[in-house]
Amino acid sequence: MMSWMKCCVFPLVLLCMWQLQEGAQACTCPYDHPQTQFCQSDVAIKAKVVSEAAGEFEYDVTYDIKLTKILKGPIRYYDTICTASSSAACGVTLDKGVEYFITGQRKSDGSLCVSSCNYVVPWKSSHDTPITRCAVWDRQPN
């Protein structure tokens, strides 16, 4: 009887541990060069965070922003950005009063959403990089 229990318990414990590991996965993004992230995004903007508010759902956050420049995407005024409320769900944390270089995706309603898989950095650390020079160059009229 004892050998039968050893034979069954060990695989059962392994199966449970495997399931726990599967359920504990968090946000993972492949590393992409910032220029690749820029090219794959729907929108790239320069914006200053004005305030933070709870989103439409309990698992998201909305940041009110002051748009300063559109580097890529349709010419429209974005006044908010949505993201997940947790870094485990690929959410980003933005600081009030800080100006950011932000790439993101447009939702079907036209709103802008970002995740930790997008390129989101304070503007001061990004304004001299090739990605922004390229983006500004692309927006110049011929």
Side-chain angles (χ1 to χ4, degrees):
M1 176 84 165
M2 199 63 145
S3 65
W4 179 82
M5 282 181 55
K6 286 181 184 178
C7 177
C8 293
V9 170
F10 183 70
L12 186 60
V13 168
L14 283 178
L15 182 64
C16 289
M17 290 176 68
W18 175 68
Q19 283 298 96
L20 285 174
Q21 184 269 337
E22 285 294 311
Q25 290 183 353
C27 174
T28 55
C29 306
Y31 173 77
D32 286 324
H33 186 275
Q35 206 160 23
T36 302
Q37 291 177 328
F38 174 83
C39 292
Q40 292 175 346
S41 67
D42 296 332
V43 175
I45 61 172
K46 176 183 176 184
K48 186 174 191 174
V49 176
V50 177
S51 65
E52 176 185 342
E56 184 178 344
F57 303 103
E58 67 181 68
Y59 52 84
D60 65 351
V61 174
T62 300
Y63 290 98
D64 293 320
I65 60 167
K66 179 181 178 190
L67 181 66
T68 5
K69 185 180 264 187
I70 298 174
L71 301 166
K72 179 184 177 186
I75 306 297
R76 72 172 293 247
Y77 187 78
Y78 297 98
D79 58 356
T80 61
I81 294 175
C82 67
T83 189
S85 60
S86 164
S87 61
C90 296
V92 296
T93 301
L94 304 176
D95 296 322
K96 182 180 173 183
V98 176
E99 195 164 37
Y100 289 92
F101 176 74
I102 300 167
T103 65
Q105 307 305 322
R106 291 182 68 210
K107 291 177 30 180
S108 59
D109 64 1
S111 61
L112 178 60
C113 287
V114 298
S115 75
S116 57
C117 298
N118 294 114
Y119 190 62
V120 180
V121 293
W123 180 259
K124 289 178 185 174
S125 70
S126 69
H127 72 279
D128 284 332
T129 63
I131 185 173
T132 55
R133 282 196 298 257
C134 174
V136 172
W137 181 80
D138 286 345
R139 302 285 298 164
Q140 299 299 317
N142 292 336

